[in-house]
Every structure is written in structure tokens, then in C-alpha cells.
Amino acid sequence: MAIIATGQDAYIAVKAEKGDGVYSLLRKQGVDPYETFDDFIALNSENLRDSIHLYEGRTYFLPSVDSTSTTKADKVVAPKLEDRLSYPLFGEGYSDVAIKSTRLKGAVYYLISGHGGPDPGAMTKYGNTYISEDEYAYDLTLRLAKELMAHSALVYVIIQDKDDGIRDERILEMDRDEVAFPDKTIPLNQTARLKQRVEIVNDLHKKHRGQFQRLIVTHVDSRSKGQNIDVFFYHHAKSKNGKKLAESIHNTFKEKYRKYQPNRTYTGTFQDRTSLYLVKKTHPAMTFIEIGNIKNDKDQKRILEPDNRQALAKWISEGVILDFESGEIGPIR
């Protein structure tokens, strides 16, 4: 590790090792990846594969630091203890949530990851191992929950697995011990499962009547192996606020692709899909997100790489903040 001064700024130069991603590299250097991801990407934009991935053995610069300091501990200032909260569901190493801002203060979010319990959702074989939709949708949902909490939102994680937490592995081990908030057994019957989730969300929605409330449902799609898809969004046809939420996140993704992958066109869409049970029956304004095709090789990189799951969570959270700060549209959903 070396300190390199350029003009008024000083940068730490570090070499990427085998298996490093942006988030893991930042964490190893004692830098908060949630705070510095965008700055890191901008600083190293010409030295990244696909505008977001590291090359093994290449040198990368960490965001600006105090040039008079030479130890990692000196360069990272932790938030005050009172600016943190603990959320054990995120798991060991992630349960501590540093509060970044009050930008979502007063907002309530319900997060549902697809399937879970007796239903793994879409499955495919990756190498010699089976992977399933519910594990990856759940990991992304936890990461999103942490991002929203860091901006002072009240967040309900509706599907929970108290053993898993946020995981940094590519292959997430399958299990069937998920429960529905607060500790309800998930039914085997599909209609009963969906009805249970609707009832939980609608009861909470009633409890928080008068507050800004939104629901975000996360799934992984399953299509033919050759079909590469971008992240896309559904909303209720008659929900102006649901459409605005979906559009806000969609626009954030378009901007991120324009900034970080300028040679690639973002083809994700947002559209009404009121026929979906959760879209039709839940009361809060909501968006239903499909993050990729679990069977497609390119989409698997987006889904399996923990750094990519974190980037997705951060981008979604930025769209959520955009939606909240722009206000509601009338009284409709």
C-alpha cells in the first residue's frame, strides 16, 4: 500500500488480489464501502472491467484521504455510537447499521423477497451445485433494508431467515427455514403463501396509517438460458404512487448504466402488471422487481457476485430516496 499525492488530494494505492471485488477491496482497507463506492468507481473508471469489476493484479486508488495520515485507522472516522443501530437479522459482521442521514425519516418500507420456506422459487444448476431464487432475492433484500435504515427509514423485512444474514459468498446454500414476519410458518400452498404476505403487509399498513408507506417485492426470473435481461419493474395499473416509485428506481438504473457502462444500453422496463397477486392485493404503493434470469450466464454474474448484489441494493435505495423526496401524488395508493 502506498500514499500518492495528486494536486491537493492524496490517494491510497492498493493492488487487487484474486477474488477481490470493489466492496471486498474497500472493506480490507478499512474503508466503508457503502459511503465510498461511487467515489471509488469515478476515481478508477478507466481501470475497470465492464465499468464495475476489478482486474486482478492492477493498482487501484482509494478515495481522497488526509495526506498526513499513514494508517488505516487514522483514515477512517467511524460514526458516533449514537448514530448507529443494531439489527441482528443482517448477521455477524453486518448487524451494525451506521446512520448516514435522515433523508428517509418518517417513511415506512415493507420488503418482501420472493418465495422462501418450502418454496425455493426458480432453480438452476451452477457447476455441480443447485442455486435457488429465494436465497439471492433474500440477500439482496437484506442489503436493501440496510441501505434504507442507514437513511433513517422504518423497514419491515417480511420474509426472514435468522440463520443467514447478509452473505458474501457467490454460491448461497439453500435451506427451507425462512419464516414470515414476525415468526409465522410459511405455507406450502402457493395461494396461502401469497395471502399470508398480503395480510401481514396490509395489517402493518393499517397500523401506520397516515405515514408515507411503500412496498418493494424482489424476485429472480427464470427464462430460457439464452435470454439475457436487465432489471425491470412492475406496478399496479391504477397506482400513481406505485408507478412513480417504479419509475424513480428505473430512472436511477438508467443513469447508473449511462455513467458506469456507457457502451451498453439499459433495456430494463417499468410497466403495470396488476394481475400479479401481490401487486393486486396489497394496500401500499409498491413495485415488483425482477433482478435477472437465474439461468442466463450474464445475468448470473449480476445475481451471484456479492459486490453486484450490493450495487443493486444501493442503486434501488437511491431510486427509493428519489421517490420519497419528490413527494406523493395525491391520495391514490
Side-chain angles (χ1 to χ4, degrees):
M1 181 174 70
I3 301 288
I4 297 178
T6 305
Q8 297 299 314
D9 296 319
Y11 301 106
I12 298 175
V14 295
K15 185 172 290 188
E17 299 176 351
K18 185 176 182 180
D20 277 343
V22 174
Y23 282 89
S24 59
L25 179 70
L26 291 171
R27 278 192 293 266
K28 285 198 301 187
Q29 299 302 321
V31 177
D32 185 349
Y34 302 101
E35 295 284 355
T36 57
F37 178 83
D38 285 344
D39 289 338
F40 179 91
I41 295 294
L43 187 60
N44 297 280
S45 60
E46 296 183 359
N47 198 22
L48 296 169
R49 176 170 51 85
D50 298 331
S51 302
I52 198 169
H53 297 107
L54 306 180
Y55 288 99
E56 179 185 346
R58 291 194 184 181
T59 296
Y60 293 92
F61 299 111
L62 304 189
S64 183
V65 298
D66 180 359
S67 61
T68 63
S69 177
T70 57
T71 67
K72 288 188 289 184
D74 290 333
K75 299 182 185 73
V76 182
V77 180
K80 297 177 181 178
L81 186 60
E82 60 266 30
D83 294 330
R84 295 176 177 268
L85 60 86
S86 179
Y87 197 71
L89 192 66
F90 293 148
E92 186 177 354
Y94 282 98
S95 60
D96 188 39
V97 182
I99 305 303
K100 304 175 186 177
S101 78
T102 58
R103 295 179 70 181
L104 292 175
K105 189 173 181 62
V108 182
Y109 293 94
Y110 311 108
L111 307 185
I112 298 178
S113 54
H115 305 278
D119 176 22
M123 295 177 61
T124 193
K125 200 168 185 180
Y126 185 80
N128 295 319
T129 307
Y130 279 99
I131 56 175
S132 64
E133 171 181 3
D134 64 327
E135 301 297 341
Y136 292 92
Y138 181 63
D139 187 75
L140 174 59
T141 294
L142 290 185
R143 292 171 186 271
L144 175 59
K146 186 168 184 176
E147 288 290 328
L148 300 181
M149 288 180 182
H151 292 288
S152 304
L154 174 59
V155 179
Y156 289 93
V157 179
I158 304 303
I159 302 303
Q160 303 185 353
D161 187 328
K162 296 178 173 62
D163 297 327
D164 285 347
I166 294 172
R167 291 176 281 178
D168 284 333
E169 294 81 27
R170 298 182 76 256
I171 304 300
L172 300 183
E173 184 178 351
M174 295 167 52
D175 59 34
R176 299 192 173 191
D177 59 350
E178 293 86 5
V179 298
F181 178 86
D183 198 22
K184 298 179 180 179
T185 300
I186 298 175
L188 177 61
N189 177 268
Q190 181 185 18
T191 302
R193 282 199 308 274
L194 296 175
K195 184 178 179 181
Q196 179 188 63
R197 295 169 197 209
V198 167
E199 289 176 348
I200 292 169
V201 169
N202 288 349
D203 285 347
L204 289 169
H205 181 262
K206 184 177 180 180
K207 174 184 175 182
H208 291 284
R209 182 182 288 119
Q211 293 179 255
F212 183 101
Q213 304 182 57
R214 296 291 184 266
L215 165 63
I216 301 172
V217 180
T218 307
H219 276 257
V220 181
D221 209 353
S222 178
R223 304 188 180 193
S224 65
K225 183 177 175 63
Q227 190 169 0
N228 172 220
I229 60 174
D230 276 327
V231 179
F232 61 92
F233 311 88
Y234 295 134
H235 61 85
H236 194 289
K238 295 183 179 180
S239 174
K240 293 181 180 179
N241 287 316
K243 179 181 179 181
K244 186 169 78 70
L245 172 62
E247 187 174 13
S248 295
I249 304 173
H250 178 265
N251 286 340
T252 299
F253 271 69
K254 284 200 300 184
E255 287 299 318
K256 296 296 184 181
Y257 271 72
R258 188 177 296 119
K259 181 177 181 180
Y260 298 131
Q261 300 189 47
N263 297 322
R264 183 178 181 277
T265 301
Y266 173 63
T267 61
T269 60
F270 72 97
Q271 57 188 302
D272 62 85
R273 186 81 180 273
T274 311
S275 60
L276 293 173
Y277 193 96
L278 288 176
V279 176
K280 183 177 182 179
K281 298 289 188 179
T282 49
H283 293 166
M286 64 92 71
T287 187
F288 187 111
I289 305 175
E290 294 277 10
I291 65 170
N293 175 11
I294 197 170
K295 294 181 179 179
N296 179 266
D297 291 343
K298 291 183 178 179
D299 286 6
Q300 284 174 350
K301 293 180 181 178
R302 181 190 312 144
I303 297 164
L304 269 62
E305 292 290 345
D307 283 2
N308 289 347
R309 297 197 296 272
Q310 183 59 44
L312 287 173
K314 192 172 190 305
W315 294 1
I316 293 170
S317 74
E318 290 182 17
V320 168
I321 292 172
L322 177 65
D323 169 67
F324 177 67
E325 293 184 336
S326 62
E328 294 192 70
I329 303 176
I332 301 176
R333 283 178 67 95

